[in-house]
Amino acid sequence: KAGVTQTPRYLIKTRGQQVTLSCSPISGHRSVSWYQQTPGQGLQFLFEYFSETQRNKGNFPGRFSGRQFSNSRSEMNVSTLELGDSALYLCASIGYPGGKVKQFFGPGTRLTVL
Amino acid sequence: KQEVTQIPAALSVPEGENLVLNCSFTDSAIYNLQWFRQDPGKGLTSLLLIQSSQREQTSGRLNASLDKSSGRSTLYIAASQPGDSATYLCAVRVPGSARQLTFGSGTQLTVLP
């Protein structure tokens, strides 16, 4: 099976702009989670989607939003970018090997806000 | 609120040494604990997943143990190699949070040739 795909891999934006990141999970996986990784805060949970429904949301401002499509692909959007939004954004595809929940991470999208 | 701590933050060892990485969590009510490896600027690679009912898991030179009652897990790496150099992260999944993972801050391991 192909792994988790995230596009684009790198992005440079300026303050005030908005950005959309995309994640394609492993074929057959219906759940996707998003995480933000920064040197200061480490890995923090953004949100989780299952069958186009948001199941859980982390403690981030409303500028961060997401959605999931019927083919399980997910997008996250950040509006009115701030310098502090510079981070590695990771998507996890959630599977059930042997009946156990397991997260499979993509390579990430590196966002730089200038 | 669940908190996950990893000590030390950084570790440097000579090649061939056996080593232990530590992970502690504040709430013992977990579904499972997962160890990941992250190379610089890259995504996370899952190494081992331990269910709350298990005591340990092994994969090759890696062995992870879980003591849920004391809120601790260790990752044992045998006969370390320079290719093991990376950041190692542990994460727990807790009830009531869907499939959200709570991560530690990681241990940056350097294996010197």
Side-chain angles (χ1 to χ4, degrees):
Chain A
K1 281 184 179 179
V4 181
T5 304
Q6 291 189 245
T7 57
R9 293 293 312 280
Y10 302 91
L11 266 178
I12 300 176
K13 293 286 187 178
T14 57
R15 280 182 299 175
Q17 288 187 308
Q18 75 166 21
V19 67
T20 299
L21 312 182
S22 178
C23 170
S24 293
I26 293 169
S27 177
H29 289 187
R30 294 166 62 190
S31 289
V32 170
S33 289
W34 288 89
Y35 292 82
Q36 180 197 65
Q37 186 177 30
T38 59
Q41 299 297 317
L43 273 151
Q44 293 185 289
F45 172 77
L46 281 158
F47 21 67
E48 176 192 337
Y49 287 89
F50 173 77
S51 292
E52 304 178 65
T53 301
Q54 188 180 87
R55 296 193 60 168
N56 195 10
K57 188 178 192 307
N59 188 25
F60 278 82
R63 300 185 297 106
F64 291 81
S65 63
R67 59 178 175 169
Q68 187 180 32
F69 302 95
S70 58
N71 62 358
S72 295
R73 188 177 71 85
S74 177
E75 289 182 348
M76 66 162 283
N77 184 78
V78 187
S79 62
T80 319
L81 284 166
E82 300 177 0
L83 295 179
D85 298 333
S86 295
L88 181 66
Y89 290 87
L90 293 165
C91 168
S93 175
I94 302 169
Y96 301 86
K100 307 290 172 42
V101 176
K102 190 173 181 181
Q103 323 267 348
F104 300 85
F105 281 82
T109 294
R110 171 73 64 184
L111 171 64
T112 302
V113 182
L114 302 176
Chain B
K1 179 189 169 187
Q2 178 75 263
E3 292 185 0
V4 181
T5 304
Q6 291 186 248
I7 296 174
L11 181 63
S12 183
V13 300
E15 181 178 3
E17 192 162 298
N18 301 326
L19 59 100
V20 174
L21 306 180
N22 297 295
C23 172
S24 61
F25 45 96
T26 54
D27 188 342
S28 61
I30 64 170
Y31 279 135
N32 58 42
L33 183 144
Q34 204 163 346
W35 282 94
F36 295 90
R37 167 187 172 138
Q38 185 175 34
D39 292 288
K42 303 290 180 62
L44 307 181
T45 300
S46 179
L47 298 173
L48 291 164
L49 171 66
I50 312 177
Q51 299 300 319
S52 61
S53 57
Q54 296 177 310
R55 296 286 294 184
E56 64 179 77
Q57 281 285 320
T58 297
S59 176
R61 295 182 295 108
L62 305 179
N63 175 278
S65 68
L66 174 64
D67 184 342
K68 203 174 67 163
S69 61
S70 69
R72 294 180 185 177
S73 176
T74 61
L75 179 66
Y76 174 84
I77 303 177
S80 58
Q81 305 170 356
D84 294 331
S85 298
T87 296
Y88 291 80
L89 296 140
C90 68
V92 298
R93 183 173 158 246
V94 301
S97 65
R99 289 153 185 79
Q100 173 183 344
L101 294 178
T102 301
F103 282 87
S105 53
T107 294
Q108 185 176 0
L109 173 65
T110 303
V111 181
L112 303 169

